[in-house]
């Protein structure tokens, strides 16, 4: 059995509180896929996300965070983000690097990637959204951050995302 990651939901929210990071966290039934919980998400303001944990042919790890309705073409993405051929990363690697299980992948998981093994790719629509919603390391809650706060979190984590306009890639 692998060791627990340094941060779980409670430690993440405490970390945010210590840094006076304003957020709103809503508890809800577990959501495993973007299509689940659409009604619940509709009641929460802001952009909702889908997050893909990927590995390329050379072994590099990638986290793509995009608005939930974004089409991500994994055949075209490598040329845009600078990776080799992409496939989904396995659960053990996801737990080891981001401290999350399938269904709970989130940009907030980067807090557990202390070795900076995962390259962060962000949909331009999320970078421009007024409010972004991510799981707080568990799929039984959603945490909303306004854009300035989200950018502050990425800066505190020392993670500058690669911005990609996935909408134009799909054309």
């Amino acid at each position: 059995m692998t060791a627990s990651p340094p941060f779980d939901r409670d430690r993440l929210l405490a970390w945010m509180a210590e840094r006076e990071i304003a957020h709103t966290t809503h508890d809800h039934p577990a959501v495993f896929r973007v299509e689940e919980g659409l009604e619940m998400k509709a009641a929460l303001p802001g952009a909702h996300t889908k997050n893909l944990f990927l590995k390329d042919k050379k072994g590099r790890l990638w986290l793509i965070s995009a608005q939930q309705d974004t089409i991500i073409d994994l055949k075209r993405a490598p040329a845009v983000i600078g990776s080799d051929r992409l496939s989904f990363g396995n659960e053990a690697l996801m737990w080891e690097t981001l401290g999350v299980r399938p269904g709970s992948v989130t940009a907030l998981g980067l807090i557990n990637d202390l070795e900076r093994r995962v390259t962060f790719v962000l949909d331009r629509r999320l970078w421009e959204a007024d409010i972004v919603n991510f799981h707080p390391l568990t799929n039984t809650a959603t945490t909303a951050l306004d854009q300035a706060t989200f950018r502050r979190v990425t800066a505190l984590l020392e993670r500058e995302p690669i911005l990609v306009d996935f909408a134009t890639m799909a054309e």
Side-chain angles (χ1 to χ4, degrees):
M1 181 150 208
T2 58
S4 293
F7 285 86
D8 59 10
R9 173 198 164 142
D10 292 339
R11 287 207 52 219
L12 170 69
L13 296 180
W15 179 87
M16 289 180 166
E18 289 165 11
R19 286 154 186 80
E20 298 180 354
I21 295 169
H23 67 279
T24 304
T25 297
H26 302 274
D27 291 305
H28 53 70
V31 176
F32 292 91
R33 301 176 98 37
V34 170
E35 302 79 25
E36 295 177 32
L38 292 177
E39 205 171 283
M40 175 269 306
K41 291 179 198 175
L44 303 176
H48 292 273
T49 59
K50 71 169 147 190
N51 300 273
L52 306 179
F53 178 69
L54 305 165
K55 183 177 180 179
D56 73 15
K57 200 167 107 179
K58 294 181 180 175
R60 287 182 63 196
L61 302 176
W62 303 84
L63 172 63
I64 297 178
S65 293
Q67 194 157 315
Q68 72 179 357
D69 60 351
T70 301
I71 296 169
I72 300 172
D73 184 338
L74 292 182
K75 288 189 168 93
R76 293 173 67 186
V80 177
I81 67 174
S83 74
D84 207 323
R85 190 179 78 237
L86 294 164
S87 60
F88 288 94
N90 68 45
E91 182 176 351
L93 203 49
M94 184 185 302
W95 179 253
E96 180 184 319
T97 55
L98 299 178
V100 296
R101 301 284 184 207
S104 297
V105 178
T106 172
L108 298 176
L110 293 167
I111 197 167
N112 283 318
D113 184 23
L114 304 178
E115 296 175 19
R116 305 287 188 270
R117 292 171 58 194
V118 180
T119 301
F120 184 35
V121 179
L122 188 68
D123 181 4
R124 182 167 299 283
R125 292 193 305 161
L126 289 183
W127 192 246
E128 295 170 352
D130 292 337
I131 297 171
V132 291
N133 291 282
F134 289 99
H135 289 310
L137 308 181
T138 178
N139 64 354
T140 58
T142 296
T143 295
L145 303 165
D146 69 35
Q147 188 56 240
T149 302
F150 175 60
R151 291 181 186 201
R152 183 170 163 238
V153 168
T154 61
L156 286 169
L157 296 178
E158 299 176 1
R159 303 308 288 258
E160 185 69 32
I162 297 171
L163 293 178
V164 175
D165 190 343
F166 286 103
T168 60
M169 262 184 64
E171 295 172 355

